[in-house]
């Protein structure tokens, strides 16, 4: 019987650590590098599964903590699992609820046993331990599940980061013991804050546990992007070559390109749908506010190189009109385009790696960002993730 998961590298960049590969899952292959849209509550906001498939997305994320609150993992399991429940037949990943340890810090308490949250809905006490997180994810039924971890904030002292990183390792071993399904791949998460040596030490310990994949967590939480790049470049060489590497919560052009150059394969972020709900389009690396007067009589598509439904059928003027009128269709069209744009960005990088053209074709994105904008952009990403 063949294994349900495998990762094959098809090509390597000769000038960077970038690689193009295929991650095989029980619900189909994921070609890497790849951006993965976020469907927190078992849907990518404003999009049907058919629209999502048309964006070129291969793998979709959902959130363990939020699905536990609503509708509950028992209901999802009774429906036949997350894939059937939401009508998505492709690969899926569920995070562990560990990010909510960071993002809901004002309503949680961390202890060795686990984390106690106060429900934002009714104030009820919610206890989430490594074992409970894995049990919930086993019932939800995603292809890839994440270990329960403690994501330290930025800034945090070295001592605070050491404590969170050590606890993440102890919790991982409990996650491994609790995991019950062979058709789900459990990924470990490397923590360590902005300290490269702590990241490397943590990665070495996690690799010894020989899990199907490895994620770099605890980034995009307010730190300058230069520090994000530094810890990614310090961490990836230690992670196994023959297993997928996932940079959590990152979905901006420059940061994805630089991480791919460091050897990362998978990315996720809420930013494309979050921007869409604010009337913004991602076009050729820029963010356009469709409310602006310049688009009122602009009858060109958002991007005449983009194959998405929105660009094939509608103009900037029309979508801008919908945004100003607060029509729901505006958010659907912009979400279709923005998700397609980030998936296309990573697939274009994949094609460049396969043709050994990556550094030349993406030189602009591989260069450091202007210093003045780094902290602002990363803080904005963290805010987007927290509030989606």
């Amino acid at each position: 019987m063949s294994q349900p998961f495998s990762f094959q590298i098809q090509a390597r960049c000769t000038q960077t650590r970038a690689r193009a590969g295929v991650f095989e899952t029980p619900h189909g292959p994921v070609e890497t590098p790849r951006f993965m849209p976020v469907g927190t509550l078992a849907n990518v906001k404003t999009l049907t599964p058919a629209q999502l498939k048309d964006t070129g997305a291969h793998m979709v994320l959902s959130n363990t903590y939020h699905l536990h609150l609503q509708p509950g993992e028992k209901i999802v399991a009774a429906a036949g699992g997350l894939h059937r429940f939401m009508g998505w037949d492709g690969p899926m990943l569920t995070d562990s609820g560990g990010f909510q340890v960071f993002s809901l810090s004002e309503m949680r308490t961390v202890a060795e046993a686990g984390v106690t949250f106060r429900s934002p809905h009714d104030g009820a006490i919610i206890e989430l331990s490594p074992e409970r997180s894995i049990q919930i994810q086993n019932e939800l039924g995603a292809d890839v599940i994440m270990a329960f971890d403690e994501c330290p904030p930025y800034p945090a002292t070295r001592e605070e980061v050491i404590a969170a990183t050590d606890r993440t390792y102890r919790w991982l071993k409990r996650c491994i013991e609790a995991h019950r399904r062979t058709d789900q791949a459990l990924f470990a998460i490397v923590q360590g804050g902005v300290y490269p040596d702590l990241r490397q030490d943590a990665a070495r310990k996690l690799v010894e546990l020989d899990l199907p994949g490895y994620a770099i967590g605890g980034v995009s939480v307010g730190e300058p992007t230069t520090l994000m790049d530094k810890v990614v470049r310090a961490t990836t060489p230690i992670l196994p070559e023959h297993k997928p590497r996932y940079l959590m919560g990152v979905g901006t052009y420059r940061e994805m390109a630089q991480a791919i150059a460091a050897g990362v394969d998978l990315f996720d972020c809420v930013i494309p749908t979050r921007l869409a709900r604010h009337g913004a389009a991602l076009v050729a690396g820029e963010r356009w506010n469709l409310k602006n007067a310049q688009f009122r009589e602009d009858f060109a598509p958002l991007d005449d190189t983009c194959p998405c439904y929105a660009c094939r059928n509608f103009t900037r003027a029309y979508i801008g009109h919908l945004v100003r009128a607060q029509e729901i269709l505006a958010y659907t069209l912009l979400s279709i385009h923005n998700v397609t744009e980030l998936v296309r960005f990573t697939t274009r990088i994949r094609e460049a790696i396969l043709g050994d053209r990556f550094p030349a074709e993406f030189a602009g994105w591989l260069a450091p960002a202007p210093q003045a904008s780094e902290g602002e952009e990363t803080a904005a990403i963290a805010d987007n993730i927290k509030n989606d």
Side-chain angles (χ1 to χ4, degrees):
M1 180 177 178
S2 63
Q3 294 297 316
F5 298 93
S6 66
F7 181 67
Q8 300 294 326
I9 297 175
Q10 298 171 309
R12 300 177 190 272
C13 174
T14 58
Q15 300 176 57
T16 71
R17 296 183 62 86
R19 68 259 192 97
V22 178
F23 177 39
E24 295 285 352
T25 80
H27 284 87
V30 181
E31 295 180 348
T32 65
R34 203 80 175 186
F35 174 79
M36 304 180 290
V38 176
T40 300
L41 283 164
N43 80 293
V44 177
K45 285 182 170 55
T46 76
L47 299 184
T48 67
Q51 290 169 329
L52 187 59
K53 185 162 288 188
D54 284 346
T55 68
H58 284 182
M59 194 169 195
V60 178
L61 277 71
S62 282
N63 183 287
T64 296
Y65 170 83
H66 290 292
L67 287 173
H68 173 61
L69 294 183
Q70 171 66 36
E73 62 276 7
K74 298 295 183 185
I75 289 176
V76 175
L82 203 49
H83 294 84
R84 290 188 180 179
F85 187 60
M86 68 179 284
W88 173 256
D89 61 3
M92 289 201 68
L93 180 152
T94 45
D95 62 17
S96 65
F99 185 79
Q100 280 63 49
V101 179
F102 160 77
S103 66
L104 301 178
S105 58
E106 68 278 2
M107 55 179 73
R108 58 87 175 133
T109 302
V110 180
E112 188 64 26
V115 181
T116 301
F117 296 92
R118 187 169 294 278
S119 170
H121 301 307
D122 57 11
I125 298 299
I126 301 162
E127 295 182 350
L128 200 58
S129 65
E131 293 82 4
R132 188 75 182 101
S133 172
I134 296 300
Q135 179 188 5
I136 293 168
Q137 292 186 84
N138 282 169
E139 293 194 66
L140 291 174
D143 301 275
V144 173
I145 66 175
M146 302 304 299
F148 193 58
D149 62 326
E150 182 178 354
C151 173
Y154 177 84
T157 67
R158 185 178 176 88
E159 289 71 26
E160 290 169 335
V161 173
I162 289 172
T165 305
D166 289 348
R167 181 177 285 121
T168 292
Y169 177 71
R170 294 192 297 272
W171 282 356
L172 172 60
K173 292 197 288 187
R174 289 165 57 186
C175 288
I176 294 170
E177 289 295 320
H179 188 29
R180 294 289 179 265
R181 293 182 58 164
T182 59
D183 61 343
Q184 291 180 306
L186 173 62
F187 279 26
I189 302 176
V190 180
Q191 292 291 352
V194 296
Y195 303 96
D197 62 317
L198 298 184
R199 291 278 183 176
Q200 291 173 332
D201 289 345
R204 291 186 186 98
K205 292 174 68 176
L206 299 187
V207 168
E208 291 177 356
L209 299 176
D210 192 27
L211 292 172
Y214 292 85
I216 300 172
V219 298
S220 203
V221 293
E223 80 282 5
T225 56
T226 49
L227 290 180
M228 183 198 303
D229 181 47
K230 185 176 181 180
V231 300
V232 169
R233 286 188 290 107
T235 305
T236 50
I238 297 169
L239 301 179
E241 279 283 326
H242 61 291
K243 295 183 179 182
R245 302 164 178 163
Y246 162 32
L247 183 59
M248 305 180 74
V250 173
T252 47
Y253 298 88
R254 190 178 309 276
E255 285 64 47
M256 287 196 293
Q258 292 177 345
I260 289 169
V264 173
D265 308 297
L266 298 168
F267 304 86
D268 81 284
C269 191
V270 302
I271 203 166
T273 50
R274 178 87 180 160
L275 288 175
R277 297 197 303 279
H278 285 81
L282 293 167
V283 181
E286 299 178 348
R287 300 180 188 184
W288 291 0
N289 183 351
L290 272 293
K291 296 176 185 177
N292 290 347
Q294 71 189 80
F295 298 114
R296 285 184 181 271
E297 297 183 48
D298 189 339
F299 302 112
L302 288 173
D303 182 348
D304 59 12
T305 72
C306 179
C308 81
Y309 175 79
C311 289
R312 293 198 317 268
N313 292 280
F314 304 101
T315 66
R316 300 167 186 175
Y318 178 68
I319 297 174
H321 152 67
L322 295 178
V323 170
R324 286 186 290 274
Q326 298 184 336
E327 288 286 342
I328 293 173
L329 180 58
Y331 314 129
T332 296
L333 294 177
L334 286 170
S335 293
I336 288 172
H337 171 75
N338 288 348
V339 171
T340 302
E341 169 69 8
L342 293 187
V343 171
R344 286 179 70 219
F345 182 72
T346 52
T347 56
R348 288 199 304 270
I349 292 180
R350 171 184 165 81
E351 291 165 2
I353 295 169
L354 289 169
D356 203 15
R357 306 183 308 271
F358 172 46
E361 289 190 8
F362 291 84
W365 293 116
L366 294 173
Q371 186 68 33
S373 67
E374 288 177 350
E376 294 174 4
E377 180 170 353
T378 307
I381 299 168
D383 185 60
N384 286 333
I385 296 170
K386 181 176 179 179
N387 294 297
D388 189 66

